[in-house]
Short mmCIF file of all heavy atoms in Angstrom, two decimals:
data_model
loop_
_atom_site.label_atom_id
_atom_site.label_comp_id
_atom_site.label_asym_id
_atom_site.label_seq_id
_atom_site.Cartn_x
_atom_site.Cartn_y
_atom_site.Cartn_z
N TYR D 1 0.82 -1.21 -0.01
CA TYR D 1 0.01 0.00 0.02
C TYR D 1 0.87 1.23 0.02
O TYR D 1 1.94 1.30 0.57
CB TYR D 1 -0.89 0.04 1.25
CG TYR D 1 -1.89 -1.10 1.31
CD1 TYR D 1 -1.60 -2.30 1.97
CD2 TYR D 1 -3.14 -0.98 0.71
CE1 TYR D 1 -2.49 -3.33 2.03
CE2 TYR D 1 -4.06 -2.01 0.78
CZ TYR D 1 -3.72 -3.19 1.43
OH TYR D 1 -4.67 -4.19 1.48
N ALA D 2 0.30 2.30 -0.62
CA ALA D 2 0.88 3.60 -0.43
C ALA D 2 0.70 4.04 1.01
O ALA D 2 -0.32 3.71 1.60
CB ALA D 2 0.20 4.59 -1.40
N ASP D 3 1.63 4.82 1.54
CA ASP D 3 1.57 5.22 2.92
C ASP D 3 0.26 5.96 3.22
O ASP D 3 -0.31 5.80 4.33
CB ASP D 3 2.76 6.11 3.25
CG ASP D 3 4.03 5.35 3.36
OD1 ASP D 3 3.98 4.10 3.49
OD2 ASP D 3 5.12 5.98 3.33
N PHE D 4 -0.26 6.76 2.26
CA PHE D 4 -1.42 7.58 2.60
C PHE D 4 -2.69 6.80 2.71
O PHE D 4 -3.73 7.33 3.05
CB PHE D 4 -1.54 8.71 1.55
CG PHE D 4 -1.58 8.32 0.13
CD1 PHE D 4 -2.72 7.79 -0.40
CD2 PHE D 4 -0.47 8.45 -0.64
CE1 PHE D 4 -2.78 7.38 -1.75
CE2 PHE D 4 -0.49 8.06 -2.00
CZ PHE D 4 -1.63 7.54 -2.50
N VAL D 5 -2.70 5.49 2.37
CA VAL D 5 -3.93 4.69 2.53
C VAL D 5 -3.79 3.54 3.49
O VAL D 5 -4.75 2.84 3.79
CB VAL D 5 -4.41 4.10 1.17
CG1 VAL D 5 -4.65 5.24 0.16
CG2 VAL D 5 -3.44 3.09 0.59
N LYS D 6 -2.58 3.35 4.07
CA LYS D 6 -2.38 2.27 4.98
C LYS D 6 -3.34 2.40 6.16
O LYS D 6 -3.48 3.48 6.75
CB LYS D 6 -0.95 2.26 5.47
CG LYS D 6 0.03 1.71 4.50
CD LYS D 6 1.43 1.68 5.06
CE LYS D 6 2.43 1.13 4.03
NZ LYS D 6 3.83 1.18 4.56
N GLY D 7 -3.99 1.31 6.51
CA GLY D 7 -4.94 1.27 7.64
C GLY D 7 -6.33 1.72 7.24
O GLY D 7 -7.26 1.57 8.04
N ARG D 8 -6.48 2.26 6.02
CA ARG D 8 -7.81 2.72 5.59
C ARG D 8 -8.36 1.89 4.40
O ARG D 8 -9.54 1.63 4.32
CB ARG D 8 -7.77 4.20 5.21
CG ARG D 8 -7.36 5.11 6.30
CD ARG D 8 -7.58 6.59 5.92
NE ARG D 8 -6.77 6.98 4.78
CZ ARG D 8 -7.31 7.53 3.65
NH1 ARG D 8 -8.60 7.75 3.58
NH2 ARG D 8 -6.50 7.89 2.67
N PHE D 9 -7.46 1.52 3.48
CA PHE D 9 -7.87 0.82 2.26
C PHE D 9 -7.37 -0.64 2.34
O PHE D 9 -6.30 -0.89 2.92
CB PHE D 9 -7.24 1.48 1.04
CG PHE D 9 -7.78 2.84 0.70
CD1 PHE D 9 -8.61 3.52 1.51
CD2 PHE D 9 -7.41 3.40 -0.53
CE1 PHE D 9 -9.10 4.79 1.18
CE2 PHE D 9 -7.89 4.67 -0.89
CZ PHE D 9 -8.73 5.34 -0.03
N THR D 10 -8.10 -1.52 1.72
CA THR D 10 -7.74 -2.92 1.66
C THR D 10 -7.97 -3.45 0.26
O THR D 10 -9.06 -3.31 -0.30
CB THR D 10 -8.55 -3.80 2.63
OG1 THR D 10 -8.39 -3.29 3.95
CG2 THR D 10 -8.09 -5.23 2.57
N ILE D 11 -6.89 -4.02 -0.34
CA ILE D 11 -7.02 -4.59 -1.63
C ILE D 11 -7.18 -6.11 -1.48
O ILE D 11 -6.57 -6.74 -0.59
CB ILE D 11 -5.75 -4.27 -2.51
CG1 ILE D 11 -5.96 -4.73 -3.95
CG2 ILE D 11 -4.48 -4.83 -1.91
CD1 ILE D 11 -4.87 -4.28 -4.92
N SER D 12 -8.01 -6.70 -2.30
CA SER D 12 -8.21 -8.13 -2.30
C SER D 12 -8.56 -8.59 -3.71
O SER D 12 -8.85 -7.76 -4.58
CB SER D 12 -9.34 -8.52 -1.29
OG SER D 12 -10.57 -7.92 -1.67
N ARG D 13 -8.58 -9.88 -3.90
CA ARG D 13 -8.91 -10.42 -5.19
C ARG D 13 -9.63 -11.75 -5.03
O ARG D 13 -9.39 -12.51 -4.10
CB ARG D 13 -7.67 -10.58 -6.09
CG ARG D 13 -6.68 -11.61 -5.63
CD ARG D 13 -5.41 -11.50 -6.48
NE ARG D 13 -5.61 -11.78 -7.89
CZ ARG D 13 -4.77 -11.43 -8.86
NH1 ARG D 13 -3.61 -10.78 -8.56
NH2 ARG D 13 -5.02 -11.77 -10.12
N ASP D 14 -10.47 -12.07 -6.01
CA ASP D 14 -11.11 -13.34 -6.12
C ASP D 14 -10.82 -13.91 -7.46
O ASP D 14 -11.41 -13.50 -8.48
CB ASP D 14 -12.64 -13.15 -5.90
CG ASP D 14 -13.38 -14.49 -5.84
OD1 ASP D 14 -12.85 -15.48 -6.34
OD2 ASP D 14 -14.48 -14.54 -5.31
N ASN D 15 -9.85 -14.80 -7.53
CA ASN D 15 -9.43 -15.31 -8.83
C ASN D 15 -10.55 -16.16 -9.53
O ASN D 15 -10.56 -16.28 -10.69
CB ASN D 15 -8.15 -16.13 -8.72
CG ASN D 15 -6.94 -15.23 -8.48
OD1 ASN D 15 -7.00 -14.02 -8.74
ND2 ASN D 15 -5.84 -15.78 -8.00
N ALA D 16 -11.42 -16.75 -8.72
CA ALA D 16 -12.54 -17.50 -9.32
C ALA D 16 -13.50 -16.60 -10.01
O ALA D 16 -14.18 -17.01 -10.96
CB ALA D 16 -13.24 -18.28 -8.21
N LYS D 17 -13.57 -15.30 -9.62
CA LYS D 17 -14.48 -14.34 -10.21
C LYS D 17 -13.74 -13.40 -11.11
O LYS D 17 -14.38 -12.42 -11.66
CB LYS D 17 -15.22 -13.58 -9.12
CG LYS D 17 -16.18 -14.47 -8.30
CD LYS D 17 -16.93 -13.63 -7.27
CE LYS D 17 -17.90 -14.49 -6.50
NZ LYS D 17 -18.68 -13.70 -5.48
N ASN D 18 -12.44 -13.53 -11.26
CA ASN D 18 -11.63 -12.62 -12.12
C ASN D 18 -11.84 -11.17 -11.71
O ASN D 18 -11.97 -10.29 -12.58
CB ASN D 18 -12.00 -12.82 -13.59
CG ASN D 18 -11.53 -14.11 -14.17
OD1 ASN D 18 -10.81 -14.89 -13.49
ND2 ASN D 18 -11.97 -14.43 -15.38
N THR D 19 -11.81 -10.93 -10.44
CA THR D 19 -12.14 -9.60 -9.94
C THR D 19 -11.16 -9.20 -8.82
O THR D 19 -10.79 -10.03 -7.97
CB THR D 19 -13.56 -9.57 -9.38
OG1 THR D 19 -14.47 -9.91 -10.41
CG2 THR D 19 -13.91 -8.16 -8.91
N VAL D 20 -10.76 -7.96 -8.84
CA VAL D 20 -9.94 -7.37 -7.76
C VAL D 20 -10.80 -6.24 -7.13
O VAL D 20 -11.58 -5.56 -7.83
CB VAL D 20 -8.58 -6.88 -8.26
CG1 VAL D 20 -8.74 -5.78 -9.31
CG2 VAL D 20 -7.71 -6.39 -7.10
N TYR D 21 -10.60 -6.10 -5.84
CA TYR D 21 -11.42 -5.14 -5.08
C TYR D 21 -10.50 -4.13 -4.35
O TYR D 21 -9.39 -4.40 -4.06
CB TYR D 21 -12.26 -5.84 -4.07
CG TYR D 21 -13.16 -6.94 -4.60
CD1 TYR D 21 -12.76 -8.25 -4.57
CD2 TYR D 21 -14.41 -6.61 -5.16
CE1 TYR D 21 -13.58 -9.28 -5.09
CE2 TYR D 21 -15.21 -7.60 -5.67
CZ TYR D 21 -14.78 -8.95 -5.61
OH TYR D 21 -15.63 -9.92 -6.13
N LEU D 22 -11.12 -2.97 -4.09
CA LEU D 22 -10.47 -2.01 -3.21
C LEU D 22 -11.50 -1.52 -2.23
O LEU D 22 -12.38 -0.75 -2.58
CB LEU D 22 -9.85 -0.85 -4.01
CG LEU D 22 -9.06 0.15 -3.18
CD1 LEU D 22 -7.75 -0.53 -2.69
CD2 LEU D 22 -8.70 1.39 -4.02
N GLN D 23 -11.40 -1.95 -0.98
CA GLN D 23 -12.27 -1.48 0.06
C GLN D 23 -11.65 -0.23 0.63
O GLN D 23 -10.54 -0.23 1.12
CB GLN D 23 -12.43 -2.54 1.15
CG GLN D 23 -13.27 -2.10 2.37
CD GLN D 23 -14.70 -1.88 1.96
OE1 GLN D 23 -15.30 -2.71 1.25
NE2 GLN D 23 -15.31 -0.79 2.45
N MET D 24 -12.44 0.86 0.62
CA MET D 24 -11.95 2.18 1.05
C MET D 24 -12.78 2.65 2.24
O MET D 24 -13.99 2.86 2.07
CB MET D 24 -11.98 3.22 -0.09
CG MET D 24 -11.29 2.70 -1.34
SD MET D 24 -11.16 4.01 -2.61
CE MET D 24 -12.92 4.21 -2.98
N ASN D 25 -12.12 2.75 3.39
CA ASN D 25 -12.80 3.23 4.56
C ASN D 25 -12.21 4.54 5.04
O ASN D 25 -11.12 4.95 4.60
CB ASN D 25 -12.65 2.21 5.70
CG ASN D 25 -13.28 0.81 5.36
OD1 ASN D 25 -14.27 0.74 4.67
ND2 ASN D 25 -12.69 -0.23 5.88
N SER D 26 -12.92 5.23 5.93
CA SER D 26 -12.44 6.49 6.49
C SER D 26 -12.01 7.46 5.39
O SER D 26 -10.93 8.04 5.44
CB SER D 26 -11.27 6.26 7.47
OG SER D 26 -11.68 5.39 8.52
N LEU D 27 -12.82 7.59 4.38
CA LEU D 27 -12.45 8.39 3.22
C LEU D 27 -12.31 9.85 3.60
O LEU D 27 -13.01 10.38 4.45
CB LEU D 27 -13.48 8.22 2.09
CG LEU D 27 -13.34 6.88 1.32
CD1 LEU D 27 -14.62 6.54 0.56
CD2 LEU D 27 -12.15 6.94 0.35
N LYS D 28 -11.38 10.50 2.91
CA LYS D 28 -11.08 11.90 3.12
C LYS D 28 -11.32 12.68 1.81
O LYS D 28 -11.20 12.08 0.72
CB LYS D 28 -9.62 12.09 3.54
CG LYS D 28 -9.19 11.28 4.73
CD LYS D 28 -7.72 11.43 4.99
CE LYS D 28 -7.26 10.56 6.21
NZ LYS D 28 -5.81 10.68 6.45
N PRO D 29 -11.56 13.95 1.88
CA PRO D 29 -11.73 14.74 0.64
C PRO D 29 -10.53 14.59 -0.29
O PRO D 29 -10.71 14.62 -1.52
CB PRO D 29 -11.89 16.17 1.16
CG PRO D 29 -12.53 15.99 2.49
CD PRO D 29 -11.91 14.79 3.06
N GLU D 30 -9.38 14.44 0.24
CA GLU D 30 -8.15 14.34 -0.61
C GLU D 30 -8.10 12.95 -1.34
O GLU D 30 -7.21 12.75 -2.15
CB GLU D 30 -6.90 14.54 0.23
CG GLU D 30 -6.79 13.72 1.46
CD GLU D 30 -7.24 14.49 2.69
OE1 GLU D 30 -8.28 15.20 2.63
OE2 GLU D 30 -6.54 14.41 3.78
N ASP D 31 -9.02 12.06 -0.99
CA ASP D 31 -9.07 10.78 -1.75
C ASP D 31 -9.87 10.92 -3.04
O ASP D 31 -9.95 10.00 -3.84
CB ASP D 31 -9.73 9.71 -0.90
CG ASP D 31 -8.89 9.32 0.32
OD1 ASP D 31 -7.67 9.18 0.15
OD2 ASP D 31 -9.47 9.12 1.37
#
């Protein structure tokens, strides 16, 4: 992760669904 998203964003993937995700929490205007 980039330092500015550590602890707030989580990347994951489901290879069975051919999909990657980005869960974004505690969003800020600078996001």
Side-chain angles (χ1 to χ4, degrees):
Y1 297 92
D3 286 344
F4 55 77
V5 302
K6 283 182 181 177
R8 300 190 298 126
F9 291 10
T10 303
I11 188 171
S12 61
R13 68 189 296 162
D14 185 338
N15 286 344
K17 295 182 178 180
N18 290 352
T19 302
V20 61
Y21 305 96
L22 186 68
Q23 177 67 44
M24 305 187 296
N25 299 328
S26 303
L27 283 161
K28 305 175 182 179
E30 51 263 44
D31 294 318

